[in-house]
Every structure is written in C-alpha cells, then in structure tokens.
Amino acid sequence: MQLNVVCKVPEKSGYSKKMEGVCSAVAETIGGIYIWSESQKPAWDMFYEYSPSILFCLSKDLTSSIYNAAKEYNCKVVCLGSGDDIPVEYRDICFICTDKPEEGLYHLKSAANLVDFVSKEAEKEYDSDIVTIIEQDSDALYGLSDFKLKIFSIKNKINHPNYIGCVEPKEIPSILSSTKVYLDFHGDEDMVCACMANKIPAISASETSFDEKIFPKFGSNKEFVEAINSLMMNVDFRNEHIENSYDFIVNNNTYFHRVNEIFSSIGYEELAEKSLKLIKDYL
C-alpha cells in the first residue's frame, strides 16, 4: 500500500522522543515520509503539493489552518501529546495519542526506537560497572562507591567525584555498550527501552508506566541502591533481568508496535501488519 504521510516538525513544543520514534517507524513501514516545517511552507501549500493521507504532529502544533486544510483534503491527523490541547471541534479528523492515560483516548507509551538507536561497540574510555546520564546530582549515587561508577551529562556540569563530563548524544550508544548497568534518574523511558532492546540492563529510580516486574517501584533511595547492588553482585539475576527485559521490549514495546496500533486504529490494517514484520530486521 502506497500513501503519502507527512510528519510536522515540532515548532511550539520542541524535540519529542515519542514523535521521533513514531515517525521513524512509520517511515520504515511505508518507505519514507515527508518532514514538514510550517514556518517554511504554509499549511495550505503543503497540502496542495503533497496531498497527505496522514499527518503526524504534536497536539500543541495543531493550528486552525492545519485543521481546515486537512479536512478539505480528507487527511487523518494523528496528534501526539494531550487531549486537552485539541479543541472539541477539531476532533472529527484527529486520532489523539496521549502521553498519559486519558479516558477514551489512545495512551502512547514510551518504547524502544529501533531505527534511530543504533548499538555501537564498547569503548575503553567509557568502560564502567554502572553509568548514568543526568542533569542534577542524586543522593543514591553516593551509595555505589564499591563499583566503577561513571556519571555523564548532556548540558549541566555535575558536582560529584565520579562525574566525567558532558557528552554529545551521538556518544551515548557507545557509553551504554560499555557498562554493566544503566541508571535512569529522569524517567526517560525511551532511553531505558533502548537499553533493554540492546540487552543492556537498566533500572529506573522514577516511577514508570510499565509492568512493575520489569520496572519495580522503589520507596526510597535505599531500596533503589539495594536493587542496583543485586544486579551488580548476582550475575545470574542480572542475566535473568536482561532476558526478561529484552522479551518485554521485543514482544510488545518497540515503536513498531506503537505504529501497528495506530495504523490499525485509523483503518490501515495492511500497514499495521507490515510494521510488526519489520521488527526482526532490527534485532
């Protein structure tokens, strides 16, 4: 099935990992998409030129001109974000994918972006037992002195003896491949899912939207540190966690799975089935 799909560049809300994951999986499924910036090409001009069947955009970026043009061209608009951002009168052409559960709407959970997160070889300079990428210090890090801990950041410098420095996003795959355990302190579920898809054990200090057997909830820093110690000291337990996490991701939590659900919900069953068949190509 051939159809035109447009993904609107986020211009009000900034970068979105979910938008990137969804659009990359869509592009792989249909053989390419058009990336559109409204600031460079007005909505009516874009619709006239490309006649998209589906438009993906963040809910905050859905303007009246986009809605009117989409309705005129019989285009389905898939909005990512919050249902509160979509006026009731716009919802007749929208399929809304929410960041958090909202009654009657599709909850778009984080997932592994198999297309854009490409695993790289471990590098000696990044070698560690435990690694984290944070923008502010955490008390939990001070309970890990028995291990080779490395702390990186993207923007902010961290006042911690194990802080190495700022890194570019392109360095992250090598950093993750060079560690035994990745710690998440910011609730970055996409990063944790990417780790698990690449059999890198990961654990999150933040509450997540996933199964507690894979993402346990911790009542204190002490419980979190104890869980990290268990992963580090018990190789069999760590390997079991890796396999369970990997199965959790590849069975239902990649962005190909999310795109499957979206395509199925808006009436493109053939593309929904195709999206799932692509998963094996990235594992």
Side-chain angles (χ1 to χ4, degrees):
M1 176 181 291
Q2 185 63 41
L3 76 164
N4 292 335
V5 175
V6 171
C7 288
K8 184 182 184 300
V9 174
E11 294 178 277
K12 290 184 178 180
S13 309
Y15 171 71
S16 165
K17 286 188 176 182
K18 287 184 177 179
M19 173 67 90
E20 180 182 58
V22 167
C23 289
S24 293
V26 168
E28 291 300 297
T29 301
I30 69 172
I33 57 175
Y34 175 66
I35 304 297
W36 167 53
S37 170
E38 192 175 13
S39 63
Q40 297 180 8
K41 187 187 293 288
W44 282 99
D45 290 353
M46 185 279 290
F47 275 90
Y48 176 77
E49 186 172 348
Y50 291 96
S51 298
S53 301
I54 308 171
L55 169 69
F56 287 85
C57 71
L58 294 182
S59 56
K60 289 184 178 180
D61 288 333
L62 180 60
T63 62
S64 59
S65 58
I66 294 174
Y67 169 77
N68 290 328
K71 193 171 180 67
E72 177 71 20
Y73 281 83
N74 195 29
C75 172
K76 192 70 174 180
V77 181
V78 179
C79 297
L80 281 62
S82 170
D84 293 338
D85 296 327
I86 308 297
V88 174
E89 61 270 23
Y90 287 6
R91 296 192 177 200
D92 57 327
I93 63 168
C94 293
F95 179 72
I96 303 171
C97 307
T98 63
D99 289 327
K100 298 178 180 179
E102 296 183 38
E103 186 176 354
L105 301 177
Y106 172 66
H107 179 200
L108 178 64
K109 292 184 177 182
S110 296
N113 183 345
L114 302 182
V115 178
D116 298 308
F117 188 93
V118 180
S119 181
K120 294 186 178 180
E121 293 294 324
E123 295 187 19
K124 188 174 180 179
E125 65 179 301
Y126 299 134
D127 180 62
S128 66
D129 290 329
I130 300 171
V131 74
T132 188
I133 302 170
I134 56 176
E135 298 305 322
Q136 62 184 35
D137 202 358
S138 170
D139 290 340
L141 292 171
Y142 291 88
L144 303 172
S145 57
D146 291 339
F147 306 108
K148 187 177 182 181
L149 168 68
K150 288 189 176 181
I151 302 169
F152 298 93
S153 63
I154 303 296
K155 297 179 181 179
N156 302 329
K157 292 184 178 180
I158 309 299
N159 184 22
H160 190 284
N162 294 85
Y163 177 64
I164 306 301
C166 292
V167 293
E168 296 289 332
K170 64 182 180 181
E171 298 176 76
I172 292 176
S174 292
I175 290 172
L176 297 177
S177 295
S178 305
T179 194
K180 293 177 181 176
V181 175
Y182 170 71
L183 307 184
D184 166 54
F185 287 95
H186 298 305
D188 189 347
E189 295 180 0
D190 284 78
M191 178 75 82
V192 173
C193 288
C195 287
M196 295 193 298
N198 287 278
K199 294 195 172 183
I200 301 165
I203 187 169
S204 180
S206 303
E207 186 174 329
T208 73
S209 58
F210 293 118
D211 188 337
E212 287 189 37
K213 292 180 180 179
I214 305 297
F215 289 91
K217 297 177 182 178
F218 302 103
S220 65
N221 281 336
K222 181 180 178 181
E223 289 183 8
F224 183 56
V225 171
E226 287 174 351
I228 297 167
N229 275 275
S230 295
L231 280 174
M232 289 301 306
M233 302 302 292
N234 189 329
V235 176
D236 290 339
F237 175 67
R238 184 166 72 243
N239 289 337
E240 181 182 358
H241 175 72
I242 290 171
E243 293 304 319
N244 289 340
S245 299
Y246 179 78
D247 290 343
F248 174 78
I249 293 297
V250 301
N251 288 333
N252 201 39
N253 288 289
T254 73
Y255 276 109
F256 286 111
H257 290 99
R258 303 295 180 260
V259 166
N260 164 267
E261 293 163 349
I262 292 171
F263 276 142
S264 181
S265 296
I266 61 177
Y268 291 92
E269 291 294 345
E270 183 180 333
L271 291 175
E273 292 178 11
K274 183 180 178 181
S275 64
L276 292 184
K277 294 178 181 177
L278 292 172
I279 295 173
K280 65 181 187 299
D281 296 338
Y282 290 89
L283 298 173

